[in-house]
Amino acid sequence: MIKKLRFEKSFMKILLSLTIPIVLQNLVTASLNLLDSVMVGKLGESEISAVGLSNQFYMIFFYTVSGVGMGASIFMSQLWGKKDTRKICEFLDLSLLISVIVALIFASIAFFFPEKIIHIFLKDKIVTALGSSYLKIVAISYILTAITTSYNIALRSTEQTKLPMYGSIIGIFINMILNYMFIFGKFGAPKMGVSGAALGTVISRVIELLFILFVIYRFNNIVATRFVSLKQITLKKIVEFFKIASPVIINDVIWIIGISFYSKAYAKLGVNATATMQIANTINNMFNIFGTGIGVASAIMIGNSIGAGKKEEAHKISLDISKLGVIFGIIMALFFYFISPFMVKVFKISSETAYNLDIILKIMALFIPARFYAIIQIIGTLRGGGDVIYATFIEFLGIWGVGIPLAFISLHLIPTLSITTLYLIICMEEIIKCVIAYPRVISYKWIKNLV
């Protein structure tokens, strides 16, 4: 057993060189989100709920453009295995075009119909007013995020994970300072509350994008596209792109919409339950990023191996990373479980919310190993291998076939349902995903050379 858990040095070196910058970038982002929640939490539970529900719409947007970028990355990773940089830029151009169009649509909806977005989840006058003011300002950042995300994914696909990390660190550090200034009216700035958090986000996104573009074009990076291929984009190319990319986009969209339905289910139990889950999910995301980082790194490694024609190597990478992910998931679960009581004390919340939050965090800890395994298979092995339809099938069945039906059936049948019991029921989706993913991963059916 000990021998089976040993990994080759070359494998670990490549994996860590890719994973660590991705994890650090996401960790900094998650830390800022946690800090944002702490800052906004000082204003009250209505403010936490308003920002949390507003961000549900943002997350639908983000995972849509992320799905477009990740769809392109399936091609770009395999093309990088062949060192075909010209075609990599062609897919980046297409990704940028589609992502900006998507951003314009979402930004328009957020700016002109903010009340309707909040009412999807919760009809509370105070929360609606706060959430609307937040959405109107933060909508501007959607276009900036779409461009940054496209470039960052292209950089990762070509094994350049450090630059996106540096960009995020700069943007997030500025966001942290600006949020403190504008939320609480510090350093001579006006006291804007949740609107201040939105303004800080917009300014930081501008600076992050400018930094990424400056470095890429100043040093003539591999992904410094000149947009020449935009003139050559045909309907046939778009159809070919979406044939492979659409399952990834659908996968991300059905996942985040499913998460939004969970938020709607939580909201049916009241503002306290909404605030509880907003804080819990923010904390949980800080730990999920380790599984996501390993998954993204494995997708790059697997894609490069398949593009270079190394089928056996790709299969071995998937099995090794699966074992490593579960081991690391167990370690993170134990750490998460024991620090959860201390994290509850950081927030200014009612005793009822604090009690529920502590239990929710412990439940989250128990499911971390299963969640890590599912994340690695869906965004790592299956996407990296080009088997995006099966990855989408797993995600769809887990959320829409198990999680959401169980959540709303429970709300209907159990009048005294608590937020802790509801969340435990929803977590059953993680087990289902693992059961469905395992037989596919150990086979060779997921390995598909697309380039």
Side-chain angles (χ1 to χ4, degrees), residues 112 184 385:
F112 292 108
F184 303 111

Side-chain angles (χ1 to χ4, degrees), residues 388-427:
V388 289
I389 293 177
Y390 198 85
T392 303
F393 166 71
I394 295 172
E395 197 75 81
F396 182 84
L397 189 62
I399 293 181
W400 293 92
V402 178
I404 291 174
L406 285 179
F408 284 92
I409 290 171
S410 300
L411 284 167
H412 180 71
L413 295 180
I414 310 173
T416 58
L417 184 68
S418 67
I419 185 62
T420 53
T421 304
L422 176 60
Y423 180 72
L424 179 61
I425 292 169
I426 286 172
C427 283

Side-chain angles (χ1 to χ4, degrees), residues 305-352:
S305 295
I306 294 173
K310 300 175 181 178
K311 182 177 178 180
E312 289 294 335
E313 180 181 282
H315 190 265
K316 186 177 186 301
I317 288 171
S318 73
L319 296 181
D320 285 347
I321 291 180
S322 296
K323 289 185 287 186
L324 190 65
V326 173
I327 293 167
F328 193 65
I330 293 170
I331 295 170
M332 294 301 295
L334 292 170
F335 179 70
F336 190 102
Y337 186 91
F338 287 110
I339 69 164
S340 58
F342 301 100
M343 303 197 77
V344 173
K345 296 177 181 178
V346 174
F347 299 90
K348 184 182 177 182
I349 49 181
S350 66
S351 57
E352 178 189 352

